[in-house]
Amino acid sequence: MKVTVIGTGYVGLVSGACLAEVGNDVLCLDVDPEKIRILEAGGIPIHEPGLQEMVRQNVAAGRLHFSTDVERSVHHGTIQFIAVGTPPDEDGSADLQYVLAAARSIGRVMTDYKVVVDKSTVPVGTGDAVHAAVAEELSERGLDIPYSVVSNPEFLKEGAAVEDFMRPDRIVVGASSDQAIHLMRALYAPFQRNHERLIVTNLRSAELIKYAANAMLATRISFMNELANLAEALGADIEMVRRGIGADPRIGYQFLYPGCGYGGSCFPKDVKALIQSARSAAGIDLRVLRAVEEANDAQKHVLATKLKARFGDLNGRHFAVWGLAFKPNTDDLREAPSRTLLADLFAAGATATAYDPVAMDEARRIFGNEARLSCASSPLAALDGADALVIVTEWKEFRSPDFDAIRQRLRHPVIVDGRNLFDPELVRAQGIEYFAIGR
């Protein structure tokens, strides 16, 4: 099938590459010529395991193309994926200007039937707005060309996006057109050969499914963080509590790991957007989600709070930070807990040396010439001259460190672990003070 993907960001590039991988002829459009230049040169603008090689192979095979030419992109695919950004407005609602601009560009150029697919994460009712935007452009041209609008939300985890797309646990298609549903079934047939994964809903239900899924996962994280803080105050061990409640099949073990807060491009933005859209579109106050957001904002300060409890005044102190990305296997620092930690340290007069396996370039771009932050070339190098080590991201290479080397390099043998990577008794037996979350 011929497919167009509008947007070469995280969702668009992964979707385009994976659709090309199974034999489709895919054209990815972006208005940023620098992104297209990087992609055509064999690079990718994001860090995602397995993606660069997949892009290169499909470009070489002639199945994956990149362009800034809107007219070419609209004429290319019967199926037109809109995978552009929906950044938060000042009130937290999703900014739909790029989605609607993409829809209008399709309406301005199309000459035959198109399936316009919302792949971006959008609030309920966006499909209707996209339909109206296309209709308005066709009306101005004096044309009556048939088209369908579909909601096909993505469920891609950063760091495992290629695997998630190639082996999905579900494929949600929100549509009312039989023709559009038939085409979407055909497009996704290679991804569900051993059993049916496609769930067909109406347009608005599909839009709500995406927000509801992220909101539920964020709720579990904030709930466990609240329990961890309580466990710590009461002398309980949150790891034992996690095992006890996770054994209940109605609860399960996933997303029950406490830490220093969630971040990234999805959970914070989507929780805010769902709260705001519920308020503006339905007059409903989502009190649980407001509490989830408040709990997460507070949790991001827990690491600095623990450092202050241990050292008192942090002015003049220097700390080592392991991990900057909001999660492993990505270089994404959007809403990352590390940024809150660093802001708290700088505000208290402290400095830091940070190490992250893949996010150092992104950190340099964000922090620029910040004199209070230096970057290390290795985990151990970050420890030199530091009063304590703070672990923010649970990269695999941090899981079995040389505790003797850590103790020798630090000015004080102190680890503040925001991800509960280690057994407290094991670390303390090495002569290291160990402060975890809820343990």
Side-chain angles (χ1 to χ4, degrees):
M1 298 179 70
K2 287 195 170 184
V3 179
T4 292
V5 180
I6 303 172
T8 60
Y10 185 81
V11 174
L13 187 56
V14 171
S15 300
C18 291
L19 288 170
E21 179 74 6
V22 297
N24 295 293
D25 183 0
V26 181
L27 174 64
C28 292
L29 172 78
D30 204 292
V31 296
D32 184 348
E34 179 61 18
K35 274 189 177 181
I36 297 302
R37 186 196 66 76
I38 292 171
L39 290 163
E40 289 181 332
I44 59 174
I46 59 175
H47 177 86
E48 182 60 39
L51 181 59
Q52 183 164 18
E53 185 58 29
M54 181 178 284
V55 168
R56 286 177 176 173
Q57 289 176 354
N58 283 282
V59 168
R63 293 187 298 266
L64 183 60
H65 320 275
F66 302 101
S67 179
T68 58
D69 188 335
V70 173
E71 188 168 349
R72 177 189 172 195
S73 75
V74 175
H75 290 320
H76 177 83
T78 298
I79 298 178
Q80 300 269 320
F81 281 97
I82 297 177
V84 296
T86 54
D89 270 338
E90 291 183 4
D91 63 357
S93 62
D95 183 349
L96 299 179
Q97 63 171 310
Y98 305 111
V99 171
L100 296 179
R104 283 191 289 269
S105 70
I106 295 170
R108 269 194 300 270
V109 177
M110 61 185 284
T111 56
D112 56 1
Y113 176 76
K114 301 294 180 185
V115 180
V116 182
V117 183
D118 277 334
K119 196 71 174 172
S120 303
T121 300
V122 294
V124 175
T126 301
D128 297 333
V130 166
H131 194 283
V134 176
E136 182 179 342
E137 294 296 333
L138 289 174
S139 176
E140 289 187 7
R141 296 168 61 199
L143 298 176
D144 184 18
I145 302 171
Y147 64 97
S148 302
V149 175
V150 170
S151 175
N152 175 220
E154 55 86 13
F155 301 99
L156 306 177
K157 299 185 296 292
E158 289 194 43
V162 171
E163 177 70 14
D164 286 346
F165 198 104
M166 298 301 291
R167 294 177 177 81
D169 48 24
R170 80 280 205 196
I171 301 165
V172 175
V173 172
S176 57
S177 162
D178 290 340
Q179 184 178 3
I181 294 169
H182 172 76
L183 287 170
M184 296 299 288
R185 282 191 182 278
L187 181 67
Y188 281 116
F191 303 97
Q192 49 177 351
R193 288 175 62 84
N194 65 348
H195 70 273
E196 177 76 15
R197 294 179 172 88
L198 196 137
I199 301 170
V200 177
T201 72
N202 60 42
L203 195 61
R204 292 193 165 213
S205 295
E207 291 170 337
L208 184 54
I209 284 170
K210 169 63 177 180
Y211 276 121
N214 279 354
M216 174 62 77
L217 296 175
T219 299
R220 286 171 68 97
I221 294 171
S222 280
F223 177 72
M224 284 304 293
N225 286 338
E226 294 269 81
L227 280 186
N229 296 337
L230 177 61
E232 194 168 309
L234 297 178
D237 187 336
I238 193 60
E239 175 61 16
M240 296 179 181
V241 175
R242 183 189 70 82
R243 293 176 185 176
I245 63 176
D248 186 330
R250 297 169 300 175
I251 298 174
Y253 291 104
Q254 290 188 319
F255 280 79
L256 287 189
Y257 292 93
C260 51
Y262 61 75
S265 63
C266 293
F267 286 6
K269 175 175 71 71
D270 293 352
V271 169
K272 285 183 174 68
L274 185 53
I275 292 170
Q276 180 60 28
S277 64
R279 183 181 296 124
S280 61
I284 293 175
D285 181 18
L286 298 181
R287 295 185 294 271
V288 171
L289 287 189
R290 280 198 293 105
V292 167
E293 185 178 38
E294 291 169 7
N296 188 61
D297 289 343
Q299 194 69 12
K300 289 182 178 181
H301 296 281
V302 72
L303 297 177
T305 299
K306 288 178 179 293
L307 290 172
K308 291 173 182 176
R310 168 59 179 80
F311 291 101
D313 186 3
L314 299 185
N315 187 41
R317 297 283 186 180
H318 182 72
F319 298 100
V321 177
W322 281 5
L324 293 171
F326 85 95
K327 64 180 289 189
N329 299 320
T330 180
D331 62 351
D332 196 342
L333 268 70
R334 285 175 288 184
E335 303 281 348
S338 63
R339 298 178 71 164
T340 301
L341 168 66
L342 291 173
D344 288 346
L345 293 180
F346 299 159
T351 57
T353 298
Y355 169 79
D356 189 287
V358 304
M360 300 308 294
D361 287 343
E362 181 67 5
R364 293 185 186 98
R365 184 189 70 80
I366 291 171
F367 291 100
N369 297 320
E370 172 56 69
R372 294 166 293 185
L373 176 66
S374 57
C375 298
S377 59
S378 71
L380 289 180
L383 303 177
D384 293 334
D387 288 292
L389 166 62
V390 187
I391 300 175
V392 187
T393 312
E394 63 272 34
W395 287 95
K396 288 182 180 178
E397 67 180 83
F398 300 158
R399 297 186 181 218
S400 296
D402 184 339
F403 289 111
D404 187 53
I406 291 174
R407 188 180 63 253
Q408 291 180 18
R409 286 178 178 248
L410 289 174
R411 292 180 61 195
H412 304 275
V414 175
I415 296 177
V416 176
D417 183 358
R419 298 300 177 185
N420 288 0
L421 294 187
F422 311 128
D423 181 329
E425 292 186 6
L426 174 64
V427 180
R428 289 164 186 155
Q430 302 287 325
I432 296 174
E433 295 180 63
Y434 183 63
F435 303 91
I437 307 294
R439 306 201 72 185

